[in-house]
Amino acid sequence: MTRDEILDAAAQIFRQKGYHATSMQDIANAVKLQKASLYYHVNSKQEILLMILDRALDILIARMQEVMAMPLSPEEKLRRAMIAYFQIMLEQRDLASVLLLEYRSLEPEFRQRHIPRRDHYEHLWRELLNEGKNQRIFHVSDIALAARFLLGVMNWTITWYREDGRLSPEELAKECANLFVLGLKVRENGDQRKN
Amino acid sequence: MTRDEILDAAAQIFRQKGYHATSMQDIANAVKLQKASLYYHVNSKQEILLMILDRALDILIARMQEVMAMPLSPEEKLRRAMIAYFQIMLEQRDLASVLLLEYRSLEPEFRQRHIPRRDHYEHLWRELLNEGKNQRIFHVSDIALAARFLLGVMNWTITWYREDGRLSPEELAKECANLFVLGLKVRENGDQRKN
DNA sequence: CTTAAACTACCGACCGTTCGGTAGAGTTGA
DNA sequence: TCAACTCTACCGAACGGTCGGTAGTTTAAG
């Protein structure tokens, strides 16, 4: 039994039941250990949560940095970043869900340790929007706000997206990107989209 | 002591700590009653949660129906609906937070009772988008998906919006609506926005 | 012989809920 | 008018159960 196996199992149950509704007994059952044995591998339930959150953000940050380093236009980078985000959301469903929905369950001292990673990730998205603004490709009046709206749409999808649904992460990202990049309103001079 | 006072207090604590991290003792303390006395007014903790969720959605539905009944263009209706939404989010902060963040804590039987209201509300937004599409004002390839994205951005703001922040609900709604209606990309033929 | 990794057994605290009881206000009948 | 009764709103105590966590012991591999 490794620490990572415990984290994976915990993430799965946290996602299903939520942090507070999950007991250490639940986690122990999932990895076929006695509850007490968990404490050989981890220090506390809060630590488990923190490690899950950190791990999830590390994955998101790594993928985002890859995209940012590509020699692409800001618009294309945005589309790729969104695809990457939705892919991670599907492939690392448990981690992503816990990151987005159980952040509130982190007690203050643990939250303090987690915040820098959060800020780093949000900063990457602001950077992306800023590139687009500087190159006169994006119209953004408030970068920080736009980044939050952008992350908001994507974050909320975790609450309703089903992996057995009809939409793949790519299709989801495409629809979302179209909406954000082109807007709802029809563009008079030849709308390049088709239904 | 009335049932409503208990619901208000519960909503406030649920928002701060989350449903599962809130004990009946916490709620009792807030309304200066003994824990046992709560059970004279309500049947269970789950019932408290359900009543809060229902009440929150009733407010949202009522305001949305008002906006839908106005003789306005779809674009203007969308903007008004967004303003209304953010206003409720600020004025009924506790109710709205619990509605968005604690829905998951409803046990299946209680959830069943709550779902119709949810569907009704989401349907109103789809109706709004559909009006715009039929009048060739909005370009929407997938109404249901667009409605979810739309609700997603707004719902997520509850996680970061502070009432002491620099943005009023109206300003927030304006920025959000601009982003959604006009999109990020600059429009060649005279962008009507200004920074 | 050591040590990592698991176990059994247990702790005090707290959980949501129920119970029996009661103070006091309101209602009723003589 | 006043005793008898009922109802509302609340209380203290306790219930069975679960919680996160700890102490001490056994097992298995090197």
Side-chain angles (χ1 to χ4, degrees):
Chain A
M1 184 57 48
T2 70
R3 183 199 288 242
D4 276 0
E5 289 176 78
I6 293 174
L7 293 187
D8 284 342
Q12 193 178 116
I13 310 174
F14 284 169
R15 172 189 153 203
Q16 283 164 8
K17 316 214 291 182
Y19 174 80
H20 283 293
T22 300
S23 67
M24 290 298 274
Q25 189 63 61
D26 292 333
I27 300 171
N29 291 344
V31 295
K32 293 186 169 43
L33 282 186
Q34 291 302 310
K35 183 175 59 149
S37 308
L38 293 177
Y39 286 87
Y40 177 78
H41 301 278
V42 301
N43 292 322
S44 69
K45 195 184 172 189
Q46 275 286 304
E47 195 195 81
I48 294 179
L49 179 57
L50 177 62
M51 288 190 297
I52 291 172
L53 296 182
D54 279 351
R55 214 211 270 182
L57 258 183
D58 286 346
I59 293 173
L60 284 170
I61 289 171
R63 288 285 285 123
M64 188 69 183
Q65 279 172 336
E66 275 177 38
V67 173
M68 290 294 284
M70 291 176 180
L72 299 169
S73 73
E75 182 177 340
E76 190 54 29
K77 273 191 196 176
L78 183 69
R79 290 175 183 275
R80 298 277 184 104
M82 288 175 108
I83 292 173
Y85 188 98
F86 286 120
Q87 275 172 344
I88 291 169
M89 210 177 245
L90 192 77
E91 287 158 19
Q92 307 284 344
R93 185 72 193 245
D94 297 328
L95 288 180
S97 295
V98 176
L99 174 68
L100 298 176
L101 302 175
E102 299 300 339
Y103 171 66
R104 292 171 349 117
S105 302
L106 259 194
E107 285 158 22
E109 41 178 335
F110 291 85
R111 196 173 306 193
Q112 285 294 333
R113 289 204 257 154
H114 177 66
I115 286 177
R117 275 187 170 84
R118 288 240 145 189
D119 290 347
H120 185 186
Y121 186 63
E122 202 179 314
H123 182 75
L124 288 173
W125 282 90
R126 281 205 291 269
E127 234 173 66
L128 176 47
L129 291 180
N130 217 16
E131 268 185 37
K133 182 172 183 175
N134 290 338
Q135 295 181 30
R136 303 271 187 278
I137 291 171
F138 291 159
H139 177 107
V140 201
S141 67
D142 185 330
I143 297 259
L145 193 57
R148 283 192 163 162
F149 283 143
L150 206 51
L151 282 168
V153 202
M154 298 193 296
N155 287 346
W156 195 260
T157 59
I158 203 88
T159 66
W160 56 265
Y161 185 52
R162 301 280 156 261
E163 44 225 284
D164 55 2
R166 56 188 170 75
L167 284 169
S168 69
E170 287 84 1
E171 289 165 328
L172 200 60
K174 195 183 157 197
E175 289 287 337
C176 191
N178 274 341
L179 200 57
F180 252 93
V181 173
L182 300 174
L184 273 172
K185 203 171 189 179
V186 298
R187 294 179 179 233
E188 288 88 12
N189 59 333
D191 196 319
Q192 62 271 61
R193 290 175 294 184
K194 50 187 179 301
N195 272 341
Chain B
M1 182 60 45
T2 70
R3 180 194 290 234
D4 277 0
E5 289 176 76
I6 292 174
L7 293 187
D8 285 342
Q12 194 178 115
I13 310 175
F14 284 169
R15 173 188 153 203
Q16 284 164 8
K17 315 212 294 179
Y19 174 80
H20 282 293
T22 300
S23 68
M24 291 299 273
Q25 188 64 63
D26 292 332
I27 300 171
N29 291 344
V31 294
K32 291 186 170 48
L33 283 185
Q34 288 304 310
K35 186 172 55 153
S37 308
L38 293 177
Y39 287 86
Y40 176 79
H41 301 277
V42 300
N43 292 322
S44 69
K45 194 184 170 189
Q46 275 286 305
E47 194 195 80
I48 293 179
L49 180 57
L50 177 62
M51 289 190 296
I52 290 172
L53 296 183
D54 279 351
R55 213 210 269 181
L57 257 183
D58 287 345
I59 293 173
L60 284 170
I61 289 171
R63 289 284 284 123
M64 187 70 184
Q65 278 172 335
E66 276 178 37
V67 172
M68 290 294 285
M70 292 175 179
L72 299 169
S73 72
E75 181 176 339
E76 188 55 28
K77 273 190 195 175
L78 182 69
R79 290 174 182 276
R80 298 275 183 106
M82 288 176 106
I83 292 173
Y85 188 97
F86 286 121
Q87 274 171 344
I88 291 168
M89 210 177 246
L90 191 76
E91 287 157 20
Q92 307 283 346
R93 185 74 194 244
D94 296 329
L95 288 181
S97 295
V98 176
L99 174 68
L100 298 176
L101 302 175
E102 299 299 337
Y103 171 68
R104 294 172 347 120
S105 302
L106 259 194
E107 284 159 24
E109 44 179 332
F110 291 85
R111 197 174 303 192
Q112 285 294 331
R113 288 204 258 154
H114 178 68
I115 286 177
R117 276 187 170 83
R118 288 239 146 189
D119 290 347
H120 185 187
Y121 186 62
E122 203 178 314
H123 181 75
L124 289 173
W125 281 90
R126 282 206 290 270
E127 235 173 65
L128 176 47
L129 291 180
N130 217 15
E131 268 186 36
K133 182 173 183 173
N134 290 338
Q135 295 181 30
R136 304 269 187 277
I137 292 170
F138 292 159
H139 176 108
V140 201
S141 67
D142 184 331
I143 298 259
L145 193 58
R148 283 193 163 161
F149 283 144
L150 206 51
L151 282 168
V153 203
M154 297 193 297
N155 288 346
W156 194 261
T157 60
I158 203 87
T159 66
W160 57 264
Y161 185 51
R162 301 280 157 258
E163 45 224 285
D164 55 2
R166 56 188 171 78
L167 283 169
S168 71
E170 287 84 359
E171 290 165 326
L172 200 59
K174 195 182 158 198
E175 290 287 337
C176 190
N178 274 339
L179 200 56
F180 252 93
V181 173
L182 301 174
L184 273 172
K185 202 170 188 177
V186 298
R187 295 179 178 234
E188 288 88 14
N189 60 334
D191 195 322
Q192 61 272 60
R193 290 175 294 183
K194 51 187 178 302
N195 271 340

